[in-house]
Amino acid sequence: MGPQRKYNGPKNNSTRTMQKFLDAVGEIITKYGYSGLVIKNIAEVSGLRRSQLDHHFGNINNLIETYIRNKDYWVGFTQQVTELIKQHGGNYGRELAESIMINQLDYFYQNREMQQVILWQLCERNPILFRIGEEREQLGERLFNMTDPHFHGTDVDIRAVSALVIAGIYHLVLHSQYNDSLFCGVDISTDQGMERIKRAIRLIMSNTYESARTQKAENSNTQSGRYRATKTPVRDRRRRSYRPSSQIKKR
């Protein structure tokens, strides 16, 4: 008779069961894509019953949503965003914006499951993905509230720049992983190619912030010049030297 497994209580059993379901979702989406996420496949891969899935998650959609929330790069910032804003608000998130973009590139490139999730989001309107997309937008709004003041009064649009960088990251990674080809002569599957993209991200974000700073300085100088030009000049008054009345000629 082999050694008996230690019973760690119903809570631990429940946690292990839930994790088996979540692991099954990850395995299926990696091998078969989002189209393979059906109850039959999940039960088979997890080795568990549908009744257990319903007991722990309510239904398959809740299971999938829980999985995506646990994996999503942006949703993962939800618990940290308040502290990050406190740490980086002094420079309007300049360093934070750059590091978020570069870390997203690394995370998305290495995470096959999230690549499939983004493909799913691009190909199909799904209520689960819509809700998560809205949550990403709410998180982004909190971060933009920190960065926006730096760009007020300029024509530099940090939101549009961020949209292009993030979309570019998604496309570059998906193009590399599923087409196995170069993009503009850059191969991000190599260390050299990946570093080229990271340098470009740093340059884009740095130039974006610097351009806004320069425009604000120029606007300030222009307004100062206008103020000086419109200021009413004070007439010079001749100073008359004092002369005693005896020296004044009488007419």
Side-chain angles (χ1 to χ4, degrees), residues 93-110:
R94 181 169 184 162
E95 295 176 0
L96 179 62
E98 179 183 300
S99 65
I100 283 177
M101 303 295 183
I102 290 176
N103 290 339
Q104 187 207 5
L105 173 61
D106 284 331
Y107 181 82
F108 192 59
Y109 183 80
Q110 296 165 7

Side-chain angles (χ1 to χ4, degrees), residues 13-25:
N13 281 344
S14 177
T15 301
R16 284 195 293 269
T17 299
M18 294 174 72
Q19 191 58 52
K20 283 184 179 180
F21 278 120
L22 293 169
D23 291 342
V25 171

Side-chain angles (χ1 to χ4, degrees), residues 17-244:
T17 299
M18 294 174 72
Q19 191 58 52
K20 283 184 179 180
F21 278 120
L22 293 169
D23 291 342
V25 171
E27 184 176 338
I28 291 168
I29 201 171
T30 301
K31 288 184 178 179
Y32 309 111
Y34 56 86
S35 60
L37 292 174
V38 295
I39 290 177
K40 178 183 176 182
N41 291 344
I42 292 173
E44 182 178 330
V45 172
S46 66
L48 301 169
R49 300 184 301 276
R50 175 173 181 171
S51 60
Q52 291 173 288
L53 186 155
D54 292 339
H55 172 73
H56 290 289
F57 293 97
N59 55 55
I60 187 173
N61 287 337
N62 290 342
L63 167 62
I64 294 171
E65 184 167 353
T66 300
Y67 174 83
I68 295 175
R69 287 182 179 280
N70 288 344
K71 288 286 185 178
D72 190 85
Y73 176 76
W74 294 101
V75 173
F77 275 108
T78 303
Q79 302 300 323
Q80 310 171 42
V81 66
T82 301
E83 186 60 31
L84 288 171
I85 290 173
K86 287 181 181 178
Q87 293 176 6
H88 298 274
N91 63 359
Y92 302 103
R94 181 169 184 162
E95 295 176 0
L96 179 62
E98 179 183 300
S99 65
I100 283 177
M101 303 295 183
I102 290 176
N103 290 339
Q104 187 207 5
L105 173 61
D106 284 331
Y107 181 82
F108 192 59
Y109 183 80
Q110 296 165 7
N111 197 305
R112 190 78 171 183
E113 298 101 308
M114 281 310 300
Q115 293 168 20
Q116 286 289 339
V117 169
I118 295 300
L119 282 174
W120 186 7
Q121 190 172 22
L122 292 173
C123 297
E124 180 182 318
R125 185 174 177 84
N126 180 284
I128 296 173
L129 300 177
F130 180 80
R131 284 194 298 272
I132 292 175
E134 287 294 295
E135 192 169 326
R136 292 189 196 120
E137 283 296 302
Q138 292 172 11
L139 172 66
E141 192 64 29
R142 294 181 65 186
L143 293 172
F144 282 129
N145 286 338
M146 172 182 59
T147 63
D148 282 348
H150 181 71
F151 300 92
H152 286 165
T154 75
D155 62 6
V156 182
D157 191 340
I158 183 62
R159 294 174 180 242
V161 171
S162 299
L164 286 172
V165 172
I166 294 169
I169 288 171
Y170 285 147
H171 186 81
L172 277 173
V173 171
L174 294 175
H175 189 276
S176 171
Q177 294 296 308
Y178 293 92
N179 289 328
D180 194 26
S181 59
L182 305 181
F183 196 93
C184 293
V186 180
D187 183 3
I188 66 169
S189 66
T190 66
D191 292 342
Q192 182 184 19
M194 183 64 80
E195 186 55 37
R196 289 176 68 183
I197 298 301
K198 289 180 179 179
R199 283 199 303 268
I201 292 173
R202 294 187 189 100
L203 181 63
I204 290 169
M205 300 312 296
S206 176
N207 286 351
T208 299
Y209 273 83
E210 187 61 24
S211 179
R213 188 196 66 79
T214 301
Q215 283 191 32
K216 279 190 169 183
E218 291 174 350
N219 292 342
S220 177
N221 291 337
T222 300
Q223 291 174 1
S224 178
R226 287 174 180 171
Y227 174 76
R228 288 195 298 269
T230 57
K231 189 176 180 182
T232 303
V234 179
R235 291 183 177 179
D236 292 334
R237 294 188 177 93
R238 294 181 180 178
R239 290 187 177 181
R240 297 182 179 181
S241 58
Y242 172 75
R243 289 187 298 171

